[in-house]
Amino acid sequence: MSVEDRVPLRSAKITSATEKDDTYLPPRKVIHSSEQGKWTRIFYLTLFWLFVVLVAGLTVWGIRYS
């Protein structure tokens, strides 16, 4: 038996290490996505509607009491 038969090649180790693992898990960000974008949108829509109500209220108040 020669030395080549007893010792595995280095390339064989590399290919076994790079094979896809059966227990692969996606990144945490994919599983538990952040809701920050959703809350940011709600926050800005709320600010917008508060501004619209404020302008409408001040306009009505100004017309009524001037």
Side-chain angles (χ1 to χ4, degrees):
M1 181 181 256
S2 68
V3 175
E4 294 173 358
D5 294 333
R6 292 181 301 194
V7 178
L9 298 174
R10 290 183 185 166
S11 62
K13 290 180 184 178
I14 293 172
T15 57
S16 64
T18 58
E19 290 177 1
K20 186 136 184 147
D21 190 13
D22 291 337
T23 60
Y24 170 76
L25 294 174
R28 185 185 184 284
K29 189 174 184 179
V30 172
I31 295 173
H32 305 285
S33 62
S34 173
E35 292 187 6
Q36 182 178 6
K38 174 184 163 185
W39 288 108
T40 303
R41 179 174 167 83
I42 291 171
F43 175 72
Y44 284 122
L45 281 174
T46 303
L47 283 180
F48 172 74
W49 285 112
L50 284 174
F51 178 74
V52 168
V53 169
L54 177 66
V55 169
L58 288 174
T59 303
V60 169
W61 181 68
I63 291 171
R64 181 179 291 174
Y65 295 107
S66 64

